[in-house]
Amino acid sequence: GALSMGLPFIYLPAGPMLRGNWRGQVLGSGSDAFKYWDERRAGRLSDQAWQEMEGGIARSHGTCMTMGTAATMMGIADAVGLTLPGASSILAADANHVRMSSECGRRIVQMVWDDLAPGRLLSRRHFENGIACAMAMGCSTNAIIHLIAMSRRAGHPVTLDDFDAASRRVPVIANIRPSGDRYLMEDFYYAGGLLALLRRIEGHLHGDVLTVNGRTLAENIAGAEVHDDDVIRPLSNPIYAEGALAVLRGNLAPDGVCIKPSACEPRLLKHTGRALVYEDYPALKKAVDDPDLDVTGDDVLVLRNAGPKGAGMPEWGMLPIPTKLLKQGVKDMLRLSDARMSGTSYGGCLLHCSPEAAIGGPLALVQTGDRITVDVPARTIHLEVSDDELARRRAAWVPPPRRYERGYGWMFSRHILQADQGCDFDFLETAFGAPVGEPDIF
């Protein structure tokens, strides 16, 4: 709201929780829960062990301590200049978090006197800094939706192309799960936190932009040091040479589909497989638990009608691996949907497919048995079906029935934007108080 109304504001990050612990092993919320839940489904983890993990995976207040959506968005807010410098990395249970919170209260009062509102703080260059930071962190795929929506409300829109271009330039240097293999946000904080990471990618940032403390980004990160080169890698030794996200386009996703290549098996980055298509999540869930399901690890699971208009875009994108395959030792496969996924998720998940199936996007035309080709280095996704056949299917396609005739659901379905545009309401896009278009609902 402050972005739209032009009011001075400062973002107070909640802070990550402490590391999880189970039988001496470090646990990361979400990421390890998904991993060990699959082990339980495969029959390799007992109920007692699972209950012990539940008791040890969240040991304090705070957000997920992996590089999930919370840590991602706190870091982006810091890089954009909307937090006190380095505030995003402080653990929720650390005494420094209380001190930082108090300082936020003092600072916002001064910002009001200085009239330091978003119009003076935010530009396209600020949001480009946020994108570069996201790539270096190994960010959540949700960063795409949130940052696009923020930038459009602020009147300085960034696009999927900006994310993909940054991913070609900025490597992943934060060795934090799920992209990394060892560490969590507690380790990141001790290693120097976000300021140290930003100092390492300084060449990819606009250092002259103003931030909420009244200083430039370059001034804020000057002197920041990395205390552990394995947690925050040097640019010469990244954990993934390109950024955390990639945007693919093709006849199946004209407006884009995203993937987190740093968190999936390399064999899936160039792959062709048979589609197994499901109309909704209950049908998918029933199928993946079927021991006789006709499926192999080379297939592509497809879930549709889970986009913003179809289902409110829930976190269903990390489609479960069929139990049959888990028992065979398969830990990853390509999964395609118009849904999104938790930032703690991982694997070969193709998300945010746009346009979504519920409005007649090409995803609505896929049939079980079709072959889908994905080429992440080439940034392409292709449904191996002729144009004539797709035209025939489109002519036969029937839109889903309207779900709402009044109230919030009616307003939502009429005005929510697609994933590539940030899933915001079209009537809330602004240029610091100037609406892009008047709503037709009042």
Side-chain angles (χ1 to χ4, degrees):
L3 279 175
S4 301
M5 292 182 283
L7 301 174
F9 73 96
I10 188 169
Y11 176 53
L12 170 60
M17 66 178 78
L18 299 176
R19 303 182 194 96
N21 183 278
W22 172 61
R23 297 182 180 179
Q25 296 183 44
V26 173
L27 294 179
S29 54
S31 298
D32 283 322
F34 291 130
K35 179 177 72 175
Y36 286 110
W37 181 254
D38 280 348
E39 290 295 295
R40 189 175 185 227
R41 289 174 58 219
R44 294 189 287 265
L45 190 73
S46 69
D47 288 347
Q48 179 181 337
W50 177 256
Q51 290 169 3
E52 290 176 8
M53 292 177 63
E54 285 183 314
I57 203 165
R59 296 173 44 244
S60 75
H61 58 285
T63 69
C64 292
M65 78 296 266
T66 53
M67 187 56 73
T69 303
T72 292
M73 294 312 300
M74 288 188 289
I76 288 174
D78 208 333
V80 169
L82 299 179
T83 76
L84 293 178
S88 64
S89 306
I90 303 173
L91 301 173
D94 194 293
N96 283 321
H97 195 276
V98 179
R99 300 182 186 109
M100 180 269 295
S101 301
S102 298
E103 183 57 32
C104 282
R106 286 187 285 268
R107 180 58 191 158
I108 190 60
V109 172
Q110 187 59 48
M111 289 174 67
V112 171
W113 285 112
D114 295 341
D115 194 25
L116 193 55
R120 293 178 57 196
L121 275 175
L122 295 177
S123 67
R124 179 179 170 83
R125 291 155 65 86
H126 286 82
F127 290 110
E128 288 174 349
N129 284 346
I131 294 174
C133 172
M135 294 301 144
M137 289 190 298
C139 64
S140 161
T141 49
N142 283 321
I144 294 176
I145 294 174
H146 295 319
L147 200 51
I148 288 177
M150 289 171 60
S151 71
R152 290 168 72 101
R153 283 208 191 187
H156 303 290
V158 295
T159 68
L160 288 178
D161 290 337
D162 294 309
F163 279 88
D164 195 62
S167 77
R168 298 288 198 177
R169 298 191 304 268
V170 185
V172 179
I173 62 171
N175 191 9
I176 311 298
R177 301 177 195 176
S179 290
D181 59 358
R182 293 188 61 186
Y183 302 108
L184 297 169
M185 291 303 295
E186 185 174 347
D187 306 291
F188 183 67
Y189 176 47
Y190 301 150
L194 195 85
L195 295 184
L197 178 139
L198 293 178
R199 181 72 187 277
R200 286 225 151 143
I201 64 165
E202 189 170 9
H204 297 288
L205 301 173
H206 304 293
D208 59 341
V209 299
L210 188 66
T211 68
V212 292
N213 69 345
R215 302 187 183 93
T216 66
L217 180 66
E219 290 174 316
N220 290 341
I221 65 176
E225 296 181 356
V226 174
H227 309 305
D228 189 325
D229 281 333
D230 194 35
V231 179
I232 304 175
R233 298 280 188 89
L235 292 175
S236 59
N237 183 34
I239 70 163
Y240 192 76
E242 291 191 355
L245 305 176
V247 178
L248 317 185
R249 286 188 171 87
N251 68 342
L252 190 47
D255 294 333
V257 64
C258 69
I259 188 172
K260 192 171 183 176
S262 58
C264 74
E265 290 188 3
R267 68 180 179 86
L268 299 174
L269 300 181
K270 295 183 71 172
H271 184 80
T272 298
R274 177 188 61 153
L276 297 182
V277 183
Y278 301 95
E279 300 294 335
D280 54 48
Y281 197 81
L284 169 78
K285 195 69 175 69
K286 181 179 179 181
V288 297
D289 288 334
D290 181 356
D292 298 319
L293 181 66
D294 178 17
V295 64
T296 75
D298 290 329
D299 291 334
V300 182
L301 296 183
V302 178
L303 173 66
R304 59 185 173 213
N305 300 313
K309 290 183 184 287
M313 208 177 187
E315 290 186 337
W316 290 346
M318 186 180 163
L319 311 184
I321 303 291
T323 303
K324 174 182 176 179
L325 298 182
L326 290 174
K327 291 181 177 180
Q328 295 173 5
V330 175
K331 297 183 182 298
D332 200 4
M333 65 188 301
L334 283 183
R335 290 155 278 175
L336 168 66
S337 73
D338 44 14
R340 60 192 182 93
M341 73 180 184
S342 164
T344 62
S345 299
Y346 53 87
C349 301
L350 297 146
L351 310 156
H352 311 180
C353 190
S354 297
E356 64 177 301
I359 65 170
L363 189 64
L365 310 180
V366 184
Q367 296 180 0
T368 292
D370 291 344
R371 296 186 67 76
I372 297 173
T373 295
V374 169
D375 189 334
V376 174
R379 299 298 197 263
T380 59
I381 182 169
H382 188 73
L383 179 63
E384 306 292 345
V385 174
S386 70
D387 291 343
D388 288 344
E389 173 61 16
L390 288 178
R392 185 191 67 77
R393 295 182 189 181
R394 179 166 297 285
W397 179 73
V398 178
R402 292 174 62 171
R403 298 171 61 189
Y404 305 102
E405 297 298 333
R406 62 188 297 276
Y408 179 80
W410 179 84
M411 181 184 74
F412 183 97
S413 59
R414 282 174 65 99
H415 293 282
I416 197 69
L417 295 168
Q418 289 292 287
D420 63 299
Q421 298 173 309
C423 293
D424 200 2
F425 286 127
D426 55 14
F427 56 80
L428 289 179
E429 294 188 296
T430 66
F432 294 114
V436 171
E438 292 298 324
D440 61 2
I441 62 172
F442 301 117

